[in-house]
Tab-separated table of all heavy atoms in Angstrom:
chain	number	residue	atom	x	y	z
A	1	MET	N	15.764	-20.327	7.508
A	1	MET	CA	16.557	-20.095	6.328
A	1	MET	C	17.888	-20.823	6.488
A	1	MET	O	18.492	-20.780	7.541
A	1	MET	CB	16.775	-18.580	6.150
A	1	MET	CG	17.457	-18.246	4.859
A	1	MET	SD	17.855	-16.505	4.691
A	1	MET	CE	16.299	-15.851	4.203
A	2	GLU	N	18.329	-21.456	5.472
A	2	GLU	CA	19.550	-22.250	5.532
A	2	GLU	C	20.807	-21.395	5.401
A	2	GLU	O	21.795	-21.665	6.037
A	2	GLU	CB	19.522	-23.305	4.425
A	2	GLU	CG	18.310	-24.189	4.516
A	2	GLU	CD	18.665	-25.598	4.851
A	2	GLU	OE1	19.825	-25.971	4.723
A	2	GLU	OE2	17.757	-26.335	5.234
A	3	ARG	N	20.767	-20.394	4.555
A	3	ARG	CA	21.925	-19.520	4.350
A	3	ARG	C	21.444	-18.154	3.898
A	3	ARG	O	20.305	-18.000	3.462
A	3	ARG	CB	22.868	-20.101	3.294
A	3	ARG	CG	22.233	-20.180	1.906
A	3	ARG	CD	23.221	-20.692	0.863
A	3	ARG	NE	22.581	-20.862	-0.427
A	3	ARG	CZ	22.381	-19.888	-1.301
A	3	ARG	NH1	22.763	-18.663	-1.032
A	3	ARG	NH2	21.783	-20.123	-2.447
A	4	GLU	N	22.302	-17.189	3.995
A	4	GLU	CA	21.944	-15.845	3.529
A	4	GLU	C	22.026	-15.813	2.009
A	4	GLU	O	22.914	-16.434	1.404
A	4	GLU	CB	22.902	-14.815	4.123
A	4	GLU	CG	22.458	-13.400	3.825
A	4	GLU	CD	23.213	-12.382	4.641
A	4	GLU	OE1	23.701	-12.738	5.727
A	4	GLU	OE2	23.290	-11.229	4.187
A	5	LEU	N	21.088	-15.111	1.391
A	5	LEU	CA	21.087	-14.997	-0.064
A	5	LEU	C	22.192	-14.057	-0.519
A	5	LEU	O	22.501	-13.071	0.153
A	5	LEU	CB	19.739	-14.467	-0.551
A	5	LEU	CG	18.506	-15.325	-0.265
A	5	LEU	CD1	17.248	-14.613	-0.731
A	5	LEU	CD2	18.626	-16.685	-0.910
A	6	SER	N	22.734	-14.362	-1.689
A	6	SER	CA	23.728	-13.470	-2.286
A	6	SER	C	23.016	-12.212	-2.774
A	6	SER	O	21.783	-12.208	-2.953
A	6	SER	CB	24.421	-14.169	-3.462
A	6	SER	OG	23.518	-14.298	-4.554
A	7	PRO	N	23.755	-11.135	-3.015
A	7	PRO	CA	23.112	-9.919	-3.546
A	7	PRO	C	22.328	-10.189	-4.833
A	7	PRO	O	21.231	-9.657	-5.019
A	7	PRO	CB	24.281	-8.978	-3.790
A	7	PRO	CG	25.309	-9.404	-2.790
A	7	PRO	CD	25.170	-10.898	-2.712
A	8	ARG	N	22.857	-11.026	-5.699
A	8	ARG	CA	22.161	-11.347	-6.948
A	8	ARG	C	20.854	-12.099	-6.667
A	8	ARG	O	19.828	-11.847	-7.290
A	8	ARG	CB	23.075	-12.175	-7.848
A	8	ARG	CG	22.439	-12.502	-9.172
A	8	ARG	CD	23.373	-13.269	-10.056
A	8	ARG	NE	22.700	-13.534	-11.310
A	8	ARG	CZ	23.298	-13.769	-12.440
A	8	ARG	NH1	24.617	-13.781	-12.485
A	8	ARG	NH2	22.622	-14.011	-13.525
A	9	GLU	N	20.901	-13.043	-5.730
A	9	GLU	CA	19.699	-13.795	-5.373
A	9	GLU	C	18.653	-12.885	-4.735
A	9	GLU	O	17.453	-13.015	-5.004
A	9	GLU	CB	20.051	-14.934	-4.422
A	9	GLU	CG	20.846	-16.055	-5.076
A	9	GLU	CD	21.390	-17.058	-4.089
A	9	GLU	OE1	21.834	-16.645	-2.992
A	9	GLU	OE2	21.383	-18.258	-4.422
A	10	LYS	N	19.098	-11.963	-3.881
A	10	LYS	CA	18.167	-11.017	-3.259
A	10	LYS	C	17.476	-10.165	-4.309
A	10	LYS	O	16.264	-9.941	-4.242
A	10	LYS	CB	18.903	-10.115	-2.263
A	10	LYS	CG	19.311	-10.815	-0.996
A	10	LYS	CD	20.053	-9.859	-0.080
A	10	LYS	CE	20.581	-10.562	1.149
A	10	LYS	NZ	21.324	-9.656	2.034
A	11	LEU	N	18.244	-9.688	-5.283
A	11	LEU	CA	17.667	-8.877	-6.358
A	11	LEU	C	16.662	-9.698	-7.160
A	11	LEU	O	15.553	-9.228	-7.448
A	11	LEU	CB	18.766	-8.335	-7.267
A	11	LEU	CG	18.284	-7.521	-8.462
A	11	LEU	CD1	17.528	-6.277	-7.998
A	11	LEU	CD2	19.462	-7.144	-9.343
A	12	GLY	N	17.026	-10.932	-7.485
A	12	GLY	CA	16.114	-11.797	-8.230
A	12	GLY	C	14.825	-12.053	-7.475
A	12	GLY	O	13.737	-12.065	-8.056
A	13	LEU	N	14.940	-12.249	-6.175
A	13	LEU	CA	13.751	-12.467	-5.350
A	13	LEU	C	12.867	-11.222	-5.326
A	13	LEU	O	11.642	-11.315	-5.481
A	13	LEU	CB	14.162	-12.858	-3.929
A	13	LEU	CG	13.028	-13.098	-2.938
A	13	LEU	CD1	12.103	-14.217	-3.413
A	13	LEU	CD2	13.597	-13.416	-1.565
A	14	LYS	N	13.473	-10.053	-5.168
A	14	LYS	CA	12.697	-8.811	-5.152
A	14	LYS	C	11.973	-8.597	-6.467
A	14	LYS	O	10.798	-8.210	-6.486
A	14	LYS	CB	13.600	-7.621	-4.839
A	14	LYS	CG	14.006	-7.555	-3.392
A	14	LYS	CD	14.833	-6.321	-3.096
A	14	LYS	CE	15.253	-6.318	-1.639
A	14	LYS	NZ	15.842	-5.053	-1.245
A	15	VAL	N	12.649	-8.853	-7.582
A	15	VAL	CA	12.015	-8.702	-8.896
A	15	VAL	C	10.864	-9.688	-9.027
A	15	VAL	O	9.772	-9.332	-9.479
A	15	VAL	CB	13.057	-8.893	-10.030
A	15	VAL	CG1	12.374	-8.999	-11.388
A	15	VAL	CG2	14.064	-7.747	-10.023
A	16	HIS	N	11.082	-10.915	-8.615
A	16	HIS	CA	10.026	-11.926	-8.685
A	16	HIS	C	8.816	-11.500	-7.858
A	16	HIS	O	7.677	-11.586	-8.320
A	16	HIS	CB	10.545	-13.281	-8.213
A	16	HIS	CG	9.489	-14.337	-8.204
A	16	HIS	ND1	9.139	-15.042	-9.316
A	16	HIS	CD2	8.681	-14.771	-7.193
A	16	HIS	CE1	8.158	-15.882	-9.015
A	16	HIS	NE2	7.864	-15.743	-7.728
A	17	LEU	N	9.070	-11.033	-6.630
A	17	LEU	CA	7.966	-10.636	-5.755
A	17	LEU	C	7.201	-9.440	-6.295
A	17	LEU	O	6.003	-9.308	-6.058
A	17	LEU	CB	8.489	-10.360	-4.341
A	17	LEU	CG	8.946	-11.595	-3.571
A	17	LEU	CD1	9.582	-11.186	-2.255
A	17	LEU	CD2	7.805	-12.561	-3.347
A	18	MET	N	7.873	-8.565	-7.033
A	18	MET	CA	7.176	-7.428	-7.634
A	18	MET	C	6.174	-7.907	-8.684
A	18	MET	O	5.139	-7.281	-8.895
A	18	MET	CB	8.163	-6.451	-8.274
A	18	MET	CG	8.941	-5.655	-7.274
A	18	MET	SD	9.902	-4.290	-7.966
A	18	MET	CE	10.882	-5.068	-9.203
A	19	MET	N	6.471	-9.028	-9.325
A	19	MET	CA	5.618	-9.518	-10.416
A	19	MET	C	4.634	-10.589	-9.986
A	19	MET	O	3.624	-10.797	-10.645
A	19	MET	CB	6.495	-10.090	-11.538
A	19	MET	CG	7.384	-9.071	-12.177
A	19	MET	SD	8.346	-9.723	-13.553
A	19	MET	CE	9.310	-10.973	-12.752
A	20	CYS	N	4.910	-11.285	-8.905
A	20	CYS	CA	4.134	-12.475	-8.549
A	20	CYS	C	3.238	-12.215	-7.333
A	20	CYS	O	3.692	-12.246	-6.188
A	20	CYS	CB	5.083	-13.645	-8.276
A	20	CYS	SG	4.218	-15.190	-7.951
A	21	ARG	N	1.971	-12.008	-7.586
A	21	ARG	CA	1.009	-11.747	-6.514
A	21	ARG	C	0.874	-12.941	-5.574
A	21	ARG	O	0.764	-12.780	-4.361
A	21	ARG	CB	-0.356	-11.417	-7.104
A	21	ARG	CG	-1.402	-11.115	-6.042
A	21	ARG	CD	-2.773	-10.902	-6.612
A	21	ARG	NE	-2.750	-9.807	-7.561
A	21	ARG	CZ	-3.741	-9.522	-8.405
A	21	ARG	NH1	-4.826	-10.263	-8.406
A	21	ARG	NH2	-3.659	-8.513	-9.224
A	22	GLY	N	0.906	-14.151	-6.119
A	22	GLY	CA	0.769	-15.352	-5.292
A	22	GLY	C	1.874	-15.459	-4.255
A	22	GLY	O	1.618	-15.781	-3.099
A	23	CYS	N	3.096	-15.169	-4.656
A	23	CYS	CA	4.214	-15.249	-3.710
A	23	CYS	C	4.160	-14.117	-2.690
A	23	CYS	O	4.520	-14.315	-1.529
A	23	CYS	CB	5.553	-15.240	-4.457
A	23	CYS	SG	5.890	-16.799	-5.307
A	24	ARG	N	3.704	-12.931	-3.104
A	24	ARG	CA	3.534	-11.836	-2.139
A	24	ARG	C	2.487	-12.215	-1.100
A	24	ARG	O	2.683	-12.009	0.100
A	24	ARG	CB	3.130	-10.542	-2.840
A	24	ARG	CG	4.244	-9.890	-3.622
A	24	ARG	CD	3.886	-8.476	-4.054
A	24	ARG	NE	2.608	-8.360	-4.732
A	24	ARG	CZ	2.428	-8.459	-6.055
A	24	ARG	NH1	3.448	-8.709	-6.838
A	24	ARG	NH2	1.231	-8.314	-6.583
A	25	ASN	N	1.377	-12.784	-1.553
A	25	ASN	CA	0.336	-13.226	-0.617
A	25	ASN	C	0.862	-14.306	0.318
A	25	ASN	O	0.602	-14.270	1.521
A	25	ASN	CB	-0.885	-13.758	-1.374
A	25	ASN	CG	-1.678	-12.653	-2.038
A	25	ASN	OD1	-1.577	-11.487	-1.668
A	25	ASN	ND2	-2.448	-13.024	-3.041
A	26	PHE	N	1.606	-15.261	-0.221
A	26	PHE	CA	2.175	-16.322	0.593
A	26	PHE	C	3.109	-15.741	1.653
A	26	PHE	O	3.062	-16.141	2.821
A	26	PHE	CB	2.931	-17.319	-0.284
A	26	PHE	CG	3.566	-18.434	0.488
A	26	PHE	CD1	2.794	-19.481	0.965
A	26	PHE	CD2	4.922	-18.437	0.742
A	26	PHE	CE1	3.384	-20.518	1.686
A	26	PHE	CE2	5.512	-19.461	1.454
A	26	PHE	CZ	4.739	-20.505	1.928
A	27	GLY	N	3.925	-14.777	1.277
A	27	GLY	CA	4.825	-14.135	2.227
A	27	GLY	C	4.075	-13.452	3.358
A	27	GLY	O	4.450	-13.562	4.530
A	28	ARG	N	2.985	-12.767	3.017
A	28	ARG	CA	2.166	-12.120	4.053
A	28	ARG	C	1.521	-13.164	4.963
A	28	ARG	O	1.468	-12.990	6.181
A	28	ARG	CB	1.107	-11.229	3.417
A	28	ARG	CG	1.652	-9.890	2.948
A	28	ARG	CD	0.535	-8.927	2.593
A	28	ARG	NE	-0.162	-9.310	1.374
A	28	ARG	CZ	0.158	-8.907	0.151
A	28	ARG	NH1	1.162	-8.098	-0.028
A	28	ARG	NH2	-0.539	-9.294	-0.893
A	29	GLN	N	1.034	-14.237	4.376
A	29	GLN	CA	0.404	-15.292	5.175
A	29	GLN	C	1.417	-15.938	6.126
A	29	GLN	O	1.102	-16.212	7.288
A	29	GLN	CB	-0.207	-16.358	4.263
A	29	GLN	CG	-1.414	-15.862	3.498
A	29	GLN	CD	-1.830	-16.811	2.396
A	29	GLN	OE1	-1.149	-17.778	2.076
A	29	GLN	NE2	-2.980	-16.524	1.782
A	30	MET	N	2.623	-16.170	5.644
A	30	MET	CA	3.659	-16.748	6.508
A	30	MET	C	4.002	-15.799	7.649
A	30	MET	O	4.222	-16.230	8.782
A	30	MET	CB	4.915	-17.079	5.691
A	30	MET	CG	4.711	-18.218	4.719
A	30	MET	SD	4.141	-19.745	5.489
A	30	MET	CE	5.547	-20.159	6.476
A	31	GLY	N	4.049	-14.507	7.365
A	31	GLY	CA	4.300	-13.534	8.426
A	31	GLY	C	3.205	-13.549	9.473
A	31	GLY	O	3.476	-13.502	10.677
A	32	THR	N	1.961	-13.637	9.009
A	32	THR	CA	0.828	-13.696	9.933
A	32	THR	C	0.897	-14.961	10.785
A	32	THR	O	0.707	-14.910	12.004
A	32	THR	CB	-0.501	-13.657	9.160
A	32	THR	OG1	-0.574	-12.429	8.438
A	32	THR	CG2	-1.701	-13.759	10.087
A	33	LEU	N	1.174	-16.101	10.154
A	33	LEU	CA	1.292	-17.349	10.910
A	33	LEU	C	2.425	-17.283	11.930
A	33	LEU	O	2.292	-17.764	13.054
A	33	LEU	CB	1.520	-18.530	9.965
A	33	LEU	CG	0.299	-18.982	9.175
A	33	LEU	CD1	0.706	-20.015	8.134
A	33	LEU	CD2	-0.760	-19.543	10.103
A	34	ARG	N	3.538	-16.680	11.554
A	34	ARG	CA	4.680	-16.549	12.472
A	34	ARG	C	4.261	-15.715	13.685
A	34	ARG	O	4.540	-16.082	14.823
A	34	ARG	CB	5.852	-15.879	11.752
A	34	ARG	CG	7.112	-15.794	12.572
A	34	ARG	CD	8.266	-15.118	11.821
A	34	ARG	NE	8.454	-15.626	10.473
A	34	ARG	CZ	8.213	-14.920	9.357
A	34	ARG	NH1	7.774	-13.687	9.416
A	34	ARG	NH2	8.413	-15.454	8.175
A	35	ASP	N	3.584	-14.590	13.432
A	35	ASP	CA	3.139	-13.725	14.528
A	35	ASP	C	2.140	-14.440	15.439
A	35	ASP	O	2.211	-14.335	16.665
A	35	ASP	CB	2.509	-12.441	13.982
A	35	ASP	CG	3.511	-11.557	13.265
A	35	ASP	OD1	4.741	-11.740	13.448
A	35	ASP	OD2	3.068	-10.675	12.500
A	36	LEU	N	1.195	-15.172	14.836
A	36	LEU	CA	0.209	-15.901	15.631
A	36	LEU	C	0.864	-16.992	16.465
A	36	LEU	O	0.504	-17.205	17.628
A	36	LEU	CB	-0.866	-16.509	14.724
A	36	LEU	CG	-1.826	-15.517	14.079
A	36	LEU	CD1	-2.665	-16.207	13.011
A	36	LEU	CD2	-2.705	-14.861	15.117
A	37	ALA	N	1.818	-17.704	15.887
A	37	ALA	CA	2.505	-18.762	16.624
A	37	ALA	C	3.289	-18.187	17.800
A	37	ALA	O	3.290	-18.761	18.894
A	37	ALA	CB	3.434	-19.540	15.696
A	38	LYS	N	3.945	-17.050	17.605
A	38	LYS	CA	4.679	-16.412	18.698
A	38	LYS	C	3.729	-15.979	19.805
A	38	LYS	O	4.003	-16.181	20.991
A	38	LYS	CB	5.463	-15.205	18.186
A	38	LYS	CG	6.690	-15.559	17.396
A	38	LYS	CD	7.394	-14.304	16.934
A	38	LYS	CE	8.595	-14.624	16.068
A	38	LYS	NZ	9.255	-13.395	15.581
A	39	ALA	N	2.600	-15.381	19.414
A	39	ALA	CA	1.625	-14.935	20.413
A	39	ALA	C	1.054	-16.124	21.175
A	39	ALA	O	0.880	-16.066	22.391
A	39	ALA	CB	0.501	-14.150	19.732
A	40	TYR	N	0.779	-17.218	20.483
A	40	TYR	CA	0.246	-18.411	21.138
A	40	TYR	C	1.261	-18.986	22.125
A	40	TYR	O	0.906	-19.366	23.234
A	40	TYR	CB	-0.128	-19.458	20.089
A	40	TYR	CG	-0.664	-20.729	20.694
A	40	TYR	CD1	-1.979	-20.799	21.129
A	40	TYR	CD2	0.137	-21.850	20.830
A	40	TYR	CE1	-2.483	-21.959	21.695
A	40	TYR	CE2	-0.352	-23.013	21.395
A	40	TYR	CZ	-1.664	-23.066	21.818
A	40	TYR	OH	-2.147	-24.207	22.384
A	41	ALA	N	2.503	-19.033	21.717
A	41	ALA	CA	3.537	-19.586	22.581
A	41	ALA	C	3.699	-18.757	23.856
A	41	ALA	O	4.013	-19.302	24.909
A	41	ALA	CB	4.862	-19.674	21.835
A	42	LYS	N	3.464	-17.459	23.770
A	42	LYS	CA	3.588	-16.585	24.940
A	42	LYS	C	2.346	-16.612	25.817
A	42	LYS	O	2.399	-16.210	26.972
A	42	LYS	CB	3.850	-15.151	24.499
A	42	LYS	CG	5.220	-14.951	23.913
A	42	LYS	CD	5.418	-13.512	23.510
A	42	LYS	CE	6.784	-13.318	22.898
A	42	LYS	NZ	6.994	-11.930	22.477
A	43	SER	N	1.221	-17.097	25.283
A	43	SER	CA	-0.037	-17.090	26.032
A	43	SER	C	-0.099	-18.266	27.001
A	43	SER	O	0.717	-19.175	26.972
A	43	SER	CB	-1.221	-17.164	25.073
A	43	SER	OG	-1.328	-18.466	24.522
A	44	ASP	N	-1.115	-18.267	27.850
A	44	ASP	CA	-1.333	-19.373	28.775
A	44	ASP	C	-1.600	-20.670	28.022
A	44	ASP	O	-1.177	-21.732	28.443
A	44	ASP	CB	-2.511	-19.087	29.701
A	44	ASP	CG	-2.190	-18.008	30.720
A	44	ASP	OD1	-0.990	-17.774	30.978
A	44	ASP	OD2	-3.128	-17.404	31.249
A	45	ALA	N	-2.289	-20.591	26.893
A	45	ALA	CA	-2.603	-21.786	26.116
A	45	ALA	C	-1.331	-22.461	25.631
A	45	ALA	O	-1.266	-23.682	25.547
A	45	ALA	CB	-3.496	-21.434	24.937
A	46	GLY	N	-0.317	-21.687	25.312
A	46	GLY	CA	0.942	-22.254	24.869
A	46	GLY	C	1.732	-22.895	25.980
A	46	GLY	O	2.683	-23.624	25.741
A	47	GLN	N	1.334	-22.665	27.233
A	47	GLN	CA	2.048	-23.196	28.388
A	47	GLN	C	1.415	-24.461	28.941
A	47	GLN	O	1.846	-24.964	29.962
A	47	GLN	CB	2.100	-22.133	29.504
A	47	GLN	CG	2.751	-20.835	29.078
A	47	GLN	CD	4.184	-21.026	28.635
A	47	GLN	OE1	4.939	-21.768	29.245
A	47	GLN	NE2	4.562	-20.365	27.568
A	48	ARG	N	0.384	-24.989	28.273
A	48	ARG	CA	-0.280	-26.203	28.752
A	48	ARG	C	0.674	-27.374	28.747
A	48	ARG	O	1.536	-27.492	27.897
A	48	ARG	CB	-1.478	-26.540	27.868
A	48	ARG	CG	-2.601	-25.540	28.019
A	48	ARG	CD	-3.720	-25.837	27.089
A	48	ARG	NE	-4.128	-27.234	27.201
A	48	ARG	CZ	-5.238	-27.708	26.690
A	48	ARG	NH1	-6.049	-26.939	26.031
A	48	ARG	NH2	-5.540	-28.979	26.821
A	49	THR	N	0.488	-28.273	29.692
A	49	THR	CA	1.340	-29.462	29.758
A	49	THR	C	0.717	-30.577	28.932
A	49	THR	O	-0.462	-30.539	28.585
A	49	THR	CB	1.504	-29.953	31.204
A	49	THR	OG1	0.226	-30.378	31.682
A	49	THR	CG2	2.071	-28.877	32.098
A	50	ASP	N	1.485	-31.598	28.646
A	50	ASP	CA	0.967	-32.753	27.921
A	50	ASP	C	-0.150	-33.426	28.691
A	50	ASP	O	-1.107	-33.924	28.118
A	50	ASP	CB	2.085	-33.751	27.632
A	50	ASP	CG	3.066	-33.239	26.601
A	50	ASP	OD1	2.721	-32.309	25.854
A	50	ASP	OD2	4.171	-33.783	26.550
A	51	LYS	N	-0.041	-33.461	30.024
A	51	LYS	CA	-1.088	-34.083	30.837
A	51	LYS	C	-2.403	-33.335	30.670
A	51	LYS	O	-3.444	-33.954	30.520
A	51	LYS	CB	-0.683	-34.114	32.303
A	51	LYS	CG	-1.719	-34.816	33.190
A	51	LYS	CD	-1.264	-34.849	34.630
A	51	LYS	CE	-2.222	-35.586	35.540
A	51	LYS	NZ	-3.611	-35.479	35.284
A	52	GLN	N	-2.368	-32.015	30.664
A	52	GLN	CA	-3.593	-31.240	30.476
A	52	GLN	C	-4.198	-31.535	29.119
A	52	GLN	O	-5.401	-31.649	28.973
A	52	GLN	CB	-3.313	-29.747	30.614
A	52	GLN	CG	-3.019	-29.317	32.034
A	52	GLN	CD	-2.531	-27.894	32.103
A	52	GLN	OE1	-1.810	-27.427	31.233
A	52	GLN	NE2	-2.915	-27.202	33.154
A	53	SER	N	-3.376	-31.661	28.085
A	53	SER	CA	-3.874	-31.987	26.758
A	53	SER	C	-4.489	-33.373	26.736
A	53	SER	O	-5.527	-33.596	26.133
A	53	SER	CB	-2.744	-31.904	25.726
A	53	SER	OG	-2.267	-30.598	25.640
A	54	ALA	N	-3.851	-34.335	27.404
A	54	ALA	CA	-4.348	-35.698	27.441
A	54	ALA	C	-5.662	-35.785	28.205
A	54	ALA	O	-6.535	-36.589	27.874
A	54	ALA	CB	-3.310	-36.624	28.067
A	55	ASP	N	-5.820	-34.947	29.228
A	55	ASP	CA	-7.047	-34.945	30.013
A	55	ASP	C	-8.236	-34.397	29.256
A	55	ASP	O	-9.366	-34.479	29.721
A	55	ASP	CB	-6.854	-34.136	31.306
A	55	ASP	CG	-5.946	-34.838	32.299
A	55	ASP	OD1	-5.676	-36.038	32.144
A	55	ASP	OD2	-5.503	-34.147	33.244
A	56	SER	N	-8.018	-33.873	28.064
A	56	SER	CA	-9.121	-33.283	27.307
A	56	SER	C	-10.018	-34.340	26.679
A	56	SER	O	-10.992	-34.002	26.027
A	56	SER	CB	-8.583	-32.343	26.211
A	56	SER	OG	-7.868	-33.087	25.250
A	57	GLY	N	-9.705	-35.630	26.843
A	57	GLY	CA	-10.617	-36.666	26.389
A	57	GLY	C	-10.076	-37.581	25.324
A	57	GLY	O	-10.705	-38.561	24.965
A	58	SER	N	-8.922	-37.285	24.771
A	58	SER	CA	-8.389	-38.201	23.774
A	58	SER	C	-6.942	-38.531	24.116
A	58	SER	O	-6.209	-37.712	24.649
A	58	SER	CB	-8.460	-37.586	22.376
A	58	SER	OG	-7.670	-36.437	22.285
A	59	GLY	N	-6.562	-39.751	23.779
A	59	GLY	CA	-5.203	-40.191	24.027
A	59	GLY	C	-4.267	-39.716	22.943
A	59	GLY	O	-4.669	-39.073	21.986
A	60	SER	N	-2.995	-40.069	23.069
A	60	SER	CA	-2.012	-39.614	22.110
A	60	SER	C	-2.242	-40.239	20.735
A	60	SER	O	-1.786	-39.719	19.736
A	60	SER	CB	-0.600	-39.940	22.589
A	60	SER	OG	-0.456	-41.344	22.752
A	61	ASP	N	-2.985	-41.356	20.672
A	61	ASP	CA	-3.244	-41.974	19.382
A	61	ASP	C	-4.563	-41.493	18.775
A	61	ASP	O	-4.995	-41.984	17.739
A	61	ASP	CB	-3.268	-43.502	19.514
A	61	ASP	CG	-4.382	-44.006	20.427
A	61	ASP	OD1	-5.059	-43.180	21.056
A	61	ASP	OD2	-4.562	-45.232	20.495
A	62	GLY	N	-5.207	-40.523	19.410
A	62	GLY	CA	-6.452	-39.958	18.905
A	62	GLY	C	-7.687	-40.680	19.372
A	62	GLY	O	-8.794	-40.269	19.086
A	63	SER	N	-7.528	-41.786	20.126
A	63	SER	CA	-8.700	-42.520	20.618
A	63	SER	C	-9.179	-41.890	21.922
A	63	SER	O	-8.423	-41.242	22.624
A	63	SER	CB	-8.339	-43.979	20.853
A	63	SER	OG	-7.357	-44.098	21.857
A	64	GLU	N	-10.453	-42.096	22.209
A	64	GLU	CA	-10.993	-41.546	23.457
A	64	GLU	C	-10.661	-42.439	24.620
A	64	GLU	O	-10.534	-43.648	24.478
A	64	GLU	CB	-12.517	-41.401	23.329
A	64	GLU	CG	-12.904	-40.294	22.375
A	64	GLU	CD	-14.394	-40.000	22.451
A	64	GLU	OE1	-15.056	-40.448	23.381
A	64	GLU	OE2	-14.869	-39.297	21.558
A	65	GLY	N	-10.565	-41.789	25.814
A	65	GLY	CA	-10.410	-42.554	27.037
A	65	GLY	C	-9.069	-42.865	27.393
A	65	GLY	O	-8.109	-43.070	27.601
C-alpha cells in the first residue's frame, strides 16, 4: 500500500465491498495468496538456492542443459 486511506476513502471502500461480490472475492484470494507465499517462504522449498534450481534441468533462459 502506498499510503493510508483517509476516513472518507475507507468508508467508500467498505460501502463498495458490501455491494461488489467480485472485489470481495478478489480480496479473499489475495489474502490466501499472501498466506501461501508466507508459508512457502518459511518452508524448506523457499530456502532453495539458485544452484539447486538450476540443477533441476533447465537454465536461466528456460533451455535444457
Side-chain angles (χ1 to χ4, degrees):
M1 187 185 280
E2 303 246 344
R3 64 177 176 83
E4 188 168 335
L5 298 176
S6 71
R8 182 178 181 156
E9 290 170 321
K10 287 179 185 179
L11 178 62
L13 179 59
K14 286 183 182 190
V15 169
H16 177 83
L17 290 174
M18 287 190 306
M19 297 183 299
C20 184
R21 181 185 302 168
C23 287
R24 287 192 309 270
N25 288 340
F26 179 77
R28 281 192 289 269
Q29 291 168 352
M30 291 304 294
T32 299
L33 286 172
R34 185 180 312 112
D35 294 343
L36 290 169
K38 286 180 183 178
Y40 179 79
K42 290 180 181 179
S43 73
D44 289 339
Q47 302 300 318
R48 291 176 51 167
T49 65
D50 290 341
K51 183 179 183 324
Q52 289 171 324
S53 296
D55 289 346
S56 66
S58 63
S60 60
D61 63 353
S63 63
E64 290 190 14

